[in-house]
Amino acid sequence: MSTDTPAHPLPDVHGARELPSVVVEGYSLQLRDKDGFVGDQASQTAFRQLLERWRQRRRRKGEDPLGGKHSRELTKKVLDQAVASRMASEAADLVHGAIEEFAEELAWVIDRFLRQPSWKGVERIVIGGGFPGSDVGERVILQAAAVLEEMNVHVQLGRIGHETDDGGLIGWVHLTPPPMLRHHDAILALDIGGTNVRCGIVKTRIRRAPDLSKAKVVRREKWRHADERPSRKVLVERLAEMLEDKIRYSRKKRLGLAPFIGIACPGLIRKDGSIARGAQNLPGDWESDNFHLPTELCKRLPSIGGEATVALMHNDAVVQGLSELPFMQDVKRWAVLTIGTGLGNASYTNRR
């Protein structure tokens, strides 16, 4: 089900859908079938579960060539090394088998999304999230594209062009109130996922590229909070500390930092900055009526550079997709799927 489009969108509304150069047609769609949510079948979690099933079948015949660790604990490097060798191996066979099966699942999920009204006419899909930032992820995308062609589903697939950790930060330059872009050099951004938090300074470089295609993360910090399992309160405190560190760095480097914090996180974001649904992978209850992250951060950081802080929140897939906006001008309708702990989604229509 798609979210409602505001009739009179403002640049400082949480979860803004209508922007100067693009309309967010839909995001955080939750499609169901008899087995549950369709997107769950194309998440990074689903790939690891699928790989584990391939390994379990192999163990019935003998030793597992990928060792004793569960598939969810294997690093991307280990899996990439398995498929990178030109020599045939049992480990490579296992991973290739999982890649082919997962690519078919991804193609099926994409076909389901393309049948939704808010995805009608999508010409190109950018694959983001942590999964494409590996050789295994690249192979899955290529294989899924081939499967879609066999299904007679004609849509372009490609991976996000930025570093894996940067897309969810860079996208905020397209959601920042324009006056702040004109009068400052950089913004602060957070990308909060079910496994990691990324905090960074994004330099807009708007004078070099008015379309913001040259925006760049100049300092970034990544925290794998899933390993520590913090409470919601502790997570918020850590977010504030990360932001304070970036403010000190900007002051030291004499960067003109805007009094702005962009917050990307999973879920359906209401205009008031609360979360309607979809934040179940975050620690604590983020959908509570008594919790409002933008307000919490502004309490801890009431001003930046002597100006009152503005904090806006939007869906993480929407933000990550917007990082590709300058490079999507040759199509009218496009979309993003972010393969991470879950599967994020958003679709867009460019304004001509």
Side-chain angles (χ1 to χ4, degrees):
M1 184 175 177
S2 178
T3 53
D4 295 330
T5 301
H8 301 288
L10 300 172
D12 57 350
V13 169
H14 302 278
R17 294 279 303 279
E18 294 197 15
L19 306 174
S21 58
V22 70
V23 176
V24 182
E25 297 289 355
Y27 72 90
S28 198
L29 304 187
Q30 294 188 333
L31 310 183
R32 291 177 179 268
D33 64 6
K34 60 182 177 61
D35 298 319
F37 290 114
V38 169
D40 289 346
Q41 299 174 53
S43 67
Q44 191 157 200
T45 303
F47 174 77
R48 298 293 178 140
Q49 292 171 343
L50 193 156
L51 177 60
E52 186 65 18
R53 289 197 294 271
W54 276 80
R55 294 173 65 196
Q56 286 171 353
R57 291 194 290 267
R58 178 64 184 81
R59 288 178 198 132
R60 297 189 192 111
K61 301 177 182 178
E63 187 177 346
D64 183 343
L66 289 173
K69 288 185 177 180
H70 192 281
S71 295
R72 63 174 170 266
E73 298 174 357
L74 296 177
T75 65
K76 292 178 183 178
K77 184 177 180 180
V78 167
L79 299 182
D80 284 350
Q81 286 175 340
V83 297
S85 175
R86 295 182 180 180
M87 301 292 291
S89 70
E90 293 182 348
D93 288 344
L94 277 177
V95 180
H96 278 299
I99 286 172
E100 291 183 11
E101 188 172 341
F102 186 69
E104 291 180 0
E105 293 283 355
L106 178 58
W108 179 80
V109 168
I110 288 172
D111 184 49
R112 286 292 304 273
F113 273 104
L114 290 170
R115 296 172 187 267
Q116 303 308 303
S118 63
W119 279 59
K120 185 177 180 180
V122 163
E123 304 163 68
R124 183 179 299 152
I125 301 172
V126 180
I127 308 296
F131 190 67
S134 66
D135 190 20
V136 167
E138 291 272 9
R139 290 169 187 258
V140 165
I141 294 171
L142 290 171
Q143 184 70 21
V147 173
L148 285 166
E149 282 298 318
E150 291 177 3
M151 295 168 61
N152 206 30
V153 177
H154 305 297
V155 65
Q156 300 172 20
L157 291 191
R159 73 176 296 274
I160 201 162
H162 301 288
E163 288 289 329
T164 301
D165 292 327
D166 289 353
L169 304 174
I170 290 175
W172 270 108
V173 298
H174 300 283
L175 290 160
T176 304
M180 291 190 179
L181 293 178
R182 289 194 295 270
H183 298 113
H184 300 88
D185 300 326
I187 63 168
L188 292 173
L190 289 167
D191 182 10
I192 306 168
T195 301
N196 299 295
V197 168
R198 300 164 184 87
C199 177
I201 302 168
V202 183
K203 198 169 181 180
T204 65
R205 305 206 286 185
I206 195 170
R207 293 177 184 83
R208 291 184 59 183
D211 66 352
L212 299 169
S213 60
K214 298 292 185 182
K216 180 181 180 181
V217 176
V218 293
R219 187 173 177 84
R220 173 175 25 88
E221 179 180 357
K222 182 176 178 179
W223 172 37
R224 189 178 171 86
H225 65 81
D227 293 341
E228 300 179 29
R229 298 183 179 180
S231 66
R232 189 182 68 188
K233 180 180 178 181
V234 170
L235 188 142
V236 172
E237 290 173 352
R238 180 68 185 274
L239 294 178
E241 290 171 0
M242 294 167 82
L243 290 166
E244 287 169 346
D245 174 75
K246 305 302 170 291
I247 292 172
R248 286 191 293 269
Y249 176 87
S250 298
R251 196 177 298 131
K252 180 180 177 181
K253 296 295 182 178
R254 297 185 178 180
L255 271 176
L257 197 60
F260 177 82
I261 303 169
I263 309 163
C265 70
L268 184 62
I269 312 301
R270 297 189 181 100
K271 293 180 188 178
D272 65 359
S274 61
I275 302 176
R277 58 165 170 79
Q280 62 272 7
N281 289 326
L282 300 177
D285 183 6
W286 285 52
E287 298 168 24
S288 168
D289 292 337
N290 299 318
F291 179 65
H292 191 264
L293 182 58
T295 298
E296 292 293 325
L297 291 177
C298 285
K299 283 180 182 177
R300 289 165 170 77
L301 299 152
S303 66
I304 298 174
E307 300 179 70
T309 303
V310 174
L312 295 183
M313 193 151 74
H314 214 314
N315 174 266
D316 55 350
V318 170
V319 177
Q320 194 166 153
L322 288 175
S323 72
E324 294 292 301
L325 177 59
F327 316 109
M328 295 292 128
Q329 297 309 301
D330 58 328
V331 294
K332 183 177 180 180
R333 298 281 287 109
W334 56 286
V336 63
L337 289 175
T338 58
I339 305 177
T341 308
L343 183 74
N345 63 83
S347 60
Y348 312 85
T349 297
N350 288 334
R351 296 179 184 271
R352 297 298 183 186

